[in-house]
Amino acid sequence: MTDPNAIQPSELDQLPDRDPEETAEWQASLDAVTQAAGPHRAAYLMRRTLERAEGAGVVLPKLLETDYVNSIPTAAEPAVTGDEAMEARITAWNRWNAAAMVTRGSKYGVGGHIATFASAAWLYETGFNHFFHGKEGDGSGDQLYIQGHASPGIYARAFLDGRLTEQHLDNFRQEAGGNGLPSYPHPRRLPWLWEFPTVSMGLGPISAIYQARFNRYLTSRGIKDVSDSHVWAFLGDGEMDEPESTTALTLASREGLDNLTFVINCNLQRLDGPVRANFKIVQELEALFRGAGWHVIKTLWGSAWDELFALDTTGALVRRLREVPDAQIQTYQTRDAAYIRQDFFGADPALAEMAKLLSDDKITECFHFSRGGHEARKVFAAYKAALEHKGAPTVILAQTVKGHTLGTGFASKNANHQMKKLSVDEFKQMRDLLELPIADSAFADGQVPYGHPGADSPEVRYLQERRAALGGPAPARRVHPVAPLPAPADKAFAAFDKGSGSQNVATTMAFVRLVKDLVRDKETGKRWVPIVPDEARTFGMESLFPSLGIYSPKGQTYEPVDRDQLMYYKEAKNGQILNEGITEAGSMADFIAASSSYSTHGEAMIPFYIFYSMFGWQRTADQMWQLGDQLGRGFLVGATAGRTTLTGEGLQHADGHSPVIAATNPAALSYDPAFAYEVATIVKEGLRRMYGQAEPGEDQDVFYYLTVYNEPLPQPAKPSAPGIDEGIVKGLYRFNTAESAGLTVPANAPRIQLLGSGTAIHWALNAQRMLAEEWGVAADVWSATSWGELRRDAMEADAALLRGEERVPYVRRVLQGAEGPVLAVSDYMRQVPDQIAQWIEQDYTSLGADGFGLSDTRDAARRHFGVDAQSIVAAALAQLARRGEVKASAVKEAREKYGL
């Protein structure tokens, strides 16, 4: 049968062969080996030839998979530079205390995970003792992305070195009373220890890549030389199923991020069962990373396997290891030697002969315990090779046993992720296996004790000496004493106070103009980090290209097609703009790295990420939670905002709900400004709060979310009434009254309060005029810059009231005495303005753009959703009619008049 994937002669004919005779000789040699020694020998020779060619720099398609063996042969392993026996004792204590912590907490039903750290203990311990640089030495130290489910082991090590107490361990997952430990790496909950939140699986890998890239960006731009910092990301093999885990692999290789190492704990299990039951996850990941251009190191087998590989003179063992699926490898872990002899070795006559030379104990040792990820020497060799490799990022595929050392009840069992405790007898077995000096009498009342060799013990002294040599404790988060950034000159903000006159200006353009001025500031301009996902021209940002440059580690190696134009596409090694291509997830990862640079590197950076509003919170809200967890600071800007301002693009682009999602994030300060001067005032306040001199008790670890619109409209001058700035920042101020707007209304005219946000305020202003001129109704118009901040303030007032403190919510105070009912309107679903409904004393109703969007003109879309000026008029009359202040017939008359 013909192989459909084989290269056909017609294809070969298209490749010129300058020496067909030589080619025929090579082909004949391959045929001869295949016939004489078999296809396996031929395949072996071809792989070795391709590896030799690759090593010699011969340009060939990459070999995506290698044999299922260690990349670094035993003979090539460097000696561990420390005391292996001492490190084994430290690891034993960490294993014990991690299991004890979770078991003790299980009686309170708080849960925890034991098996992950049990499999990865040596992956961490080797790094802590020899490779991970702390923050007390030169530079910024390394950045560690710890696998979330391994956190008990990290706490156990912090307990051993004196950074945590038994009380802390007993409060694992019990934070309400203080001195508690969060379940997973959460900087907001334990900000002196954790730097990076990683348990939302898949976000750790992409964040680590962009962190390594941002490190290069800081160095290239001359902000700070962090070239000695290395990013280590510890991941699970099951976690690699998440799309975000692999979405940026080619970015890392394309930019040569050799300051990045992934360590993937390949224990072959996800939460419910095998990662690749019928396949091999290690081989799949190897092919994936090699294809993406990464340097791959496989650390699969422990030293007990050396004897087996030495006996494998025919290659039968390597072939068998390649063909056995992962689920069967797991089964061998739980079966006796007789089963393994029959099922594994019995599948090949050569292996059956090999098995006769092996004792049952040897077989059990190899298949039950001996994995590369469980041996310090193997892990040390892999880490050292990773750091020495230049020009590409490295991934280490370390094979382990999930639940290693926890006993036969845990190791490789499908359910071990959900197993939260060991019995006393299992702990005693574990104690004996780890050779820990814990007496039976220490198990008082069936309670498992914590173990500690003593603050002045050789183990603790060794641990602390190793960390001191590497620059201090790790992991650790430090917020270096950094002076507040000086405020930019007021003229950059005041330029918007006078309005735009007769010129139509969209608030998106106003924001870009503001940033263009701010990046020129001598003190803080260089600290701005503009981030855009391939939509810069949509937002009018192309004017920043030639002045700021687009960051590229290679600079500009070509002549841009638009070089003769004023706003040409300029890339530079020290470029300031991060233009990420079509990746909102990558742009958010950029933003997170930049937003926390004040703690990671002691350098405050001011990122602003401007994006298509619809594709922000809806697409990457999980990363925005990560941003809040990581205590990031900066400006998220949802451009082309609203449900009716971009209607030609259709419902997929019509954003009516982003502020609803933003309202769920406690760290997000969400604003929907209507006018350019509001945008400027909010940005000025954001810079003060996040980067300037904070007020007592004010949380600086927040980020701002602004919606800006692509609808060009006249921008009014900033009102001169007192308290305008406070109202803009707090979320609500009166823009005008019917009288101040120059409208003529009867002396005792019915009155209504119109609250509008964003572009909707223009419809409210039109409605104000129509109500006065056509219906004799006086309307006051209020700009609601932030429904979310009004709600936040009101909820804080409610909480204060429960504490016995009298406090009136700002929204109630500012509307106090306002005549008539309140009608709120926005370009979003009604849930957005309805956030404040319960704190409004007046009769309250709202209009909004609920449902799916549609393609049409703005006017048609607003009529469809019932939010245009005419719809506002009809709704206002209906409210007044219910109060008996206008005739009920007026409502019907309005609907007919406006064709509603």
Side-chain angles (χ1 to χ4, degrees):
M1 181 176 177
T2 303
D3 181 357
N5 296 315
I7 298 178
Q8 304 303 313
S10 59
E11 297 178 61
L12 291 173
D13 291 342
Q14 296 184 42
L15 302 176
D17 189 346
R18 67 181 185 183
D19 193 340
E21 185 176 346
E22 182 183 38
T23 303
E25 290 174 357
W26 276 74
Q27 293 171 334
S29 297
L30 179 62
D31 292 341
V33 171
T34 304
Q35 294 171 5
H40 297 303
R41 177 61 181 171
Y44 175 85
L45 291 175
M46 288 300 297
R47 285 199 301 275
R48 292 296 175 265
T49 301
L50 288 171
E51 289 170 357
R52 182 62 173 265
E54 185 175 316
V58 177
V59 179
L60 284 170
K62 288 186 177 296
L63 183 67
L64 296 185
E65 285 188 39
T66 60
D67 288 326
Y68 201 63
V69 297
N70 295 347
S71 300
I72 302 172
T74 301
E77 293 169 0
V80 178
T81 55
D83 185 333
E84 291 188 61
M86 181 68 73
E87 293 174 19
R89 292 202 296 275
I90 293 171
T91 304
W93 286 116
N94 292 341
R95 289 182 183 278
W96 177 272
N97 288 320
M101 179 196 328
V102 176
T103 297
R104 286 166 70 116
S106 67
K107 66 181 180 181
Y108 302 110
V110 296
H113 301 289
I114 304 175
T116 293
F117 177 73
S119 68
W122 276 112
L123 302 180
Y124 292 106
E125 192 60 36
T126 303
F128 285 133
N129 285 323
H130 303 284
F131 295 97
F132 304 157
H133 289 92
K135 295 182 175 295
E136 296 174 2
D138 295 334
S140 301
D142 291 348
Q143 289 82 58
L144 308 180
Y145 288 76
I146 304 295
Q147 192 178 0
H149 294 136
S151 60
I154 308 304
Y155 291 140
R157 197 174 200 276
F159 168 65
L160 206 62
D161 73 10
R163 292 197 291 164
L164 293 176
T165 66
E166 286 193 12
Q167 182 184 12
H168 286 114
L169 300 192
D170 267 344
N171 285 332
F172 175 60
R173 292 193 171 195
Q174 299 172 73
E175 301 177 76
N179 289 323
L181 299 179
S183 52
Y184 304 122
H186 282 306
R188 188 168 286 277
R189 286 300 183 196
L190 203 61
W192 60 267
L193 180 72
W194 298 120
E195 271 197 290
F196 307 109
T198 54
V199 82
S200 189
M201 288 191 286
L203 299 190
I206 189 173
S207 294
I209 290 172
Y210 279 88
Q211 180 66 57
R213 197 281 198 91
F214 187 74
N215 291 356
R216 290 279 176 85
Y217 171 88
L218 282 181
T219 302
S220 297
R221 289 197 52 220
I223 302 293
K224 182 178 181 179
D225 185 355
V226 294
S227 53
D228 289 337
S229 289
H230 199 84
V231 178
W232 300 82
F234 289 83
L235 316 168
D237 47 0
E239 181 179 5
M240 300 311 293
D241 285 346
E242 291 284 2
E244 296 90 347
S245 294
T246 57
T247 190
L249 296 185
T250 53
L251 168 72
S253 59
R254 183 170 67 246
E255 299 202 0
L257 298 180
D258 50 23
N259 60 338
L260 170 68
T261 297
F262 276 14
V263 181
I264 303 182
N265 178 17
C266 297
N267 58 33
L268 313 186
Q269 287 184 253
R270 56 163 75 107
L271 308 190
D272 287 333
V275 177
R276 294 289 183 271
N278 297 295
F279 306 93
K280 302 192 79 62
I281 186 60
V282 168
Q283 299 300 94
E284 178 182 322
L285 292 176
E286 179 184 28
L288 175 67
F289 279 89
R290 280 182 176 272
W294 286 54
H295 177 223
V296 179
I297 299 173
K298 293 198 290 191
T299 302
L300 307 181
W301 307 110
S303 55
W305 282 82
D306 289 347
E307 179 183 342
L308 275 67
F309 288 124
L311 294 171
D312 185 28
T313 58
T314 66
L317 176 62
V318 173
R319 290 197 300 273
R320 182 67 175 140
L321 287 174
R322 281 178 61 88
E323 69 187 22
V324 174
D326 284 352
Q328 191 64 22
I329 293 287
Q330 298 294 84
T331 298
Y332 294 149
Q333 177 69 36
T334 63
R335 298 293 196 270
D336 60 17
Y339 177 89
I340 299 170
R341 283 182 187 277
Q342 178 180 350
D343 191 86
F344 181 83
F345 291 97
D348 186 293
L351 289 180
E353 289 300 312
M354 178 191 297
K356 294 177 182 178
L357 304 175
L358 304 174
S359 67
D360 284 355
D361 287 345
K362 183 66 175 180
I363 290 175
T364 300
E365 179 187 14
C366 288
F367 283 84
H368 286 197
F369 305 108
S370 188
R371 299 291 186 274
H374 296 323
E375 294 189 13
R377 186 174 294 263
K378 305 290 185 185
V379 177
F380 183 91
Y383 287 4
K384 188 172 186 293
L387 291 181
E388 290 174 351
H389 186 81
K390 300 303 177 184
T394 294
V395 59
I396 297 169
L397 304 175
Q399 188 161 265
T400 65
V401 174
K402 193 168 185 177
H404 184 59
T405 74
L406 297 180
T408 57
F410 263 84
S412 291
K413 294 298 177 65
N414 282 339
N416 61 19
H417 186 78
Q418 300 300 328
M419 296 163 70
K420 311 298 182 187
K421 60 184 178 179
L422 278 71
S423 68
V424 170
D425 287 342
E426 287 172 326
F427 266 108
K428 290 180 178 178
Q429 293 171 12
M430 182 182 177
R431 171 201 62 189
D432 295 342
L433 176 65
L434 298 176
E435 299 180 350
L436 292 173
I438 299 174
D440 286 351
S441 59
F443 293 84
D445 301 321
Q447 176 81 298
V448 57
Y450 294 120
H452 200 294
D456 196 40
S457 64
E459 292 91 337
V460 173
R461 288 201 306 271
Y462 179 89
L463 181 156
Q464 293 176 341
E465 289 168 2
R466 293 305 307 150
R467 289 311 317 155
L470 288 166
R477 181 179 180 273
R478 297 284 187 271
V479 178
H480 305 271
V482 177
L485 294 182
D490 270 344
K491 65 179 182 180
F493 306 102
F496 297 90
D497 291 353
K498 62 180 184 240
S500 64
S502 60
Q503 182 183 6
N504 290 333
V505 176
T507 51
T508 296
M509 184 53 64
F511 176 81
V512 172
R513 288 182 184 177
L514 174 62
V515 169
K516 193 172 182 180
D517 289 338
L518 292 175
V519 296
R520 294 195 186 106
D521 185 83
K522 292 181 180 179
E523 296 289 337
T524 61
K526 67 179 182 179
R527 297 191 177 275
W528 283 87
V529 184
I531 303 168
V532 60
D534 200 38
E535 288 278 5
R537 297 181 193 278
T538 301
F539 309 135
M541 289 178 58
E542 66 270 27
S543 61
L544 298 178
F545 288 170
S547 57
L548 300 185
I550 299 165
Y551 171 73
S552 169
K554 290 185 176 294
Q556 194 151 38
T557 61
Y558 60 93
E559 182 178 356
V561 67
D562 53 359
R563 183 62 183 88
D564 58 342
Q565 298 178 16
L566 180 64
M567 294 183 288
Y568 72 98
Y569 194 83
K570 177 186 175 183
E571 296 188 81
K573 291 182 179 180
N574 63 346
Q576 193 165 351
I577 300 170
L578 293 173
N579 191 327
E580 291 305 352
I582 306 175
T583 168
E584 287 83 7
S587 299
M588 268 306 302
D590 257 339
F591 186 91
I592 292 168
S595 72
S596 53
S597 179
Y598 72 93
S599 62
T600 307
H601 296 299
E603 294 287 346
M605 304 299 288
I606 311 171
F608 81 86
Y609 165 33
I610 187 167
F611 51 88
Y612 239 123
S613 175
M614 183 67 167
F615 307 129
W617 287 86
Q618 173 172 294
R619 183 163 291 180
T620 57
D622 197 13
Q623 287 178 290
M624 287 151 178
W625 270 101
Q626 181 188 13
L627 167 64
D629 280 345
Q630 200 162 312
L631 288 78
R633 305 169 184 174
F635 296 94
L636 296 177
V637 184
T640 59
R643 182 150 275 164
T644 71
T645 60
L646 197 68
T647 51
E649 297 284 351
L651 67 88
Q652 293 94 343
H653 289 63
D655 179 17
H657 55 282
S658 286
V660 177
I661 307 174
T664 66
N665 192 313
L669 277 62
S670 177
Y671 286 88
D672 186 25
F675 306 124
Y677 67 79
E678 293 178 351
V679 172
T681 301
I682 293 164
V683 171
K684 181 179 180 181
E685 170 64 10
L687 290 172
R688 181 205 65 79
R689 177 166 178 175
M690 294 185 291
Y691 300 97
Q693 190 63 53
E695 297 176 0
E698 191 172 44
D699 186 6
Q700 285 189 284
D701 298 323
V702 296
F703 60 92
Y704 280 65
Y705 168 55
L706 283 73
T707 54
V708 292
Y709 297 81
N710 71 323
E711 186 170 12
L713 292 164
Q715 296 296 324
K718 187 176 184 178
S720 58
I724 294 298
D725 283 359
E726 179 190 31
I728 292 172
V729 171
K730 287 185 174 292
L732 184 67
Y733 68 96
R734 181 154 48 195
F735 177 73
N736 69 13
T737 64
E739 292 78 8
S740 67
L743 300 172
T744 302
V745 292
N748 296 318
R751 188 171 291 271
I752 189 168
Q753 308 299 317
L754 302 180
L755 278 57
S757 69
T759 195
I761 202 168
H762 296 281
W763 322 331
L765 289 169
N766 287 337
Q768 178 190 48
R769 177 187 54 78
M770 294 168 65
L771 283 166
E773 295 177 354
E774 301 176 24
W775 304 96
V777 172
D780 299 341
V781 174
W782 300 70
S783 179
T785 55
S786 179
W787 310 100
E789 286 307 289
L790 293 174
R791 177 179 177 82
R792 192 193 305 268
D793 172 82
M795 292 174 67
E796 290 172 357
D798 286 353
L801 188 62
L802 290 175
R803 297 192 299 268
E805 304 170 20
E806 286 294 333
R807 181 175 155 193
V808 179
Y810 174 81
V811 66
R812 182 174 296 168
R813 175 160 51 88
V814 78
L815 284 172
Q816 190 171 19
E819 296 179 40
V822 172
L823 173 61
V825 60
S826 81
D827 202 18
Y828 293 92
M829 56 202 309
R830 291 177 62 181
Q831 282 176 260
V832 175
D834 284 352
Q835 291 179 81
I836 65 171
Q838 71 186 81
W839 292 282
I840 305 299
E841 292 182 328
Q842 294 89 342
D843 293 338
Y844 181 90
T845 191
S846 63
L847 297 175
D850 286 79
F852 289 106
L854 76 167
S855 297
D856 211 309
T857 65
R858 289 177 178 136
D859 289 342
R862 287 161 189 169
R863 174 57 57 88
H864 169 80
F865 286 112
V867 293
D868 58 355
Q870 293 83 354
S871 298
I872 294 173
V873 169
L877 293 174
Q879 273 187 286
L880 293 168
R882 283 194 294 271
R883 296 163 57 92
E885 297 181 24
V886 300
K887 294 180 180 179
S889 60
V891 181
K892 180 180 180 182
E893 183 181 346
R895 286 200 298 264
E896 292 174 350
K897 179 178 181 177
Y898 302 134
L900 299 178

